[in-house]
Amino acid sequence: PLNAARLSISGLSELLVDGEGAGLVRQVERSLDTMEELLRTLLDISRLDSGVMLPEVTAFPLQDVFDALASDFTPLAAKAGLKLRLRPTKLHVQSDRMMFRRILQNILSNALRYTGEGGVLVAARARGDHAAIEVHDTGIGISPEKQNLIFEAFAQVDGSATRRFGGAGLGLTITRQIVRLMGGEIGVDSEPGK
């Protein structure tokens, strides 16, 4: 049904190139994108819960993932008036490349979504035989007592932020599950306004 809806919207967009109709077409396209992402996330959660999704660990340069993320997210950041910086790194990691990228995509997406001005910095540091990936932003922040809530399914720290910024409350849930599946750790250090 989503593919059929996309084809219909595509045909309609060719007929309506400007005006109010074109704006409505773009709105429907965004809604379909959101619905498709939600379905994909629910499917991933189901696969994780059932044990079907297993990591395929390989060694790869972290910079390759950073370059792909920069390519994907720099235009989105610029469109929002934000600066995105991924600090160059020479670190190599052993992980499932796709799952690792999905983790960083989810975190980076949230960082950009909840940052109204300023920017986002992604950096990697060696910590013994592990790598610590840090995402710093100038976003709205989260009070310490609500920080664990962001990793719960469908939980939102603040309903007004959800109405303002969007999101279904599943991105960080699946992120935490994937991190745990791969034997990693995830955490947050924030406070309101920081």
Side-chain angles (χ1 to χ4, degrees):
L2 279 175
N3 287 336
R6 284 195 179 283
L7 286 172
S8 298
I9 290 297
S10 177
L12 187 59
S13 70
E14 291 175 14
L15 297 173
L16 303 169
V17 280
D18 58 6
E20 192 175 319
L24 288 172
V25 166
R26 285 190 298 277
Q27 185 177 346
V28 171
E29 285 175 331
R30 284 191 301 273
S31 295
L32 287 172
D33 287 344
T34 301
M35 187 183 317
E36 191 171 13
E37 181 61 30
L38 178 60
L39 289 172
R40 189 176 18 245
T41 300
L42 289 171
L43 179 60
D44 284 349
I45 288 172
S46 174
R47 289 172 39 208
L48 281 166
D49 287 346
S50 67
V52 174
M53 187 183 282
L54 299 172
E56 294 180 30
V57 177
T58 60
F60 56 90
L62 188 52
Q63 188 62 45
D64 289 353
V65 175
F66 278 18
D67 289 343
L69 291 171
S71 176
D72 292 346
F73 285 96
T74 299
L76 296 172
K79 186 175 180 181
L82 301 172
K83 181 173 175 133
L84 172 62
R85 199 170 125 224
L86 288 97
R87 187 175 291 152
T89 180
K90 295 188 183 306
L91 292 177
H92 283 67
V93 293
Q94 289 192 16
S95 184
D96 180 296
R97 184 188 294 250
M98 296 306 292
M99 288 183 183
F100 190 85
R101 181 174 172 174
R102 177 78 183 268
I103 290 166
L104 291 178
Q105 284 174 321
N106 286 346
I107 295 170
L108 192 50
S109 177
N110 270 17
L112 290 170
R113 177 180 291 133
Y114 292 101
T115 300
E117 59 183 45
V120 176
L121 167 69
V122 181
R125 301 170 198 262
R127 297 276 191 247
D129 61 350
H130 291 83
I133 315 301
E134 300 175 359
V135 179
H136 301 266
D137 64 63
T138 57
I140 61 174
I142 305 166
S143 63
E145 64 274 4
K146 293 186 177 181
Q147 290 176 7
N148 283 331
L149 184 64
I150 66 172
F151 296 106
E152 300 300 322
F154 300 109
Q156 301 286 328
V157 170
D158 177 357
S160 65
T162 301
R163 286 187 296 278
R164 190 167 138 212
F165 298 106
L170 287 173
L172 291 178
T173 301
I174 194 165
T175 298
R176 181 177 65 178
Q177 286 183 282
I178 294 172
V179 167
R180 286 179 175 171
L181 176 68
M182 295 194 307
E185 297 175 17
I186 187 168
V188 59
D189 182 19
S190 183
E191 61 186 63
K194 277 186 146 178

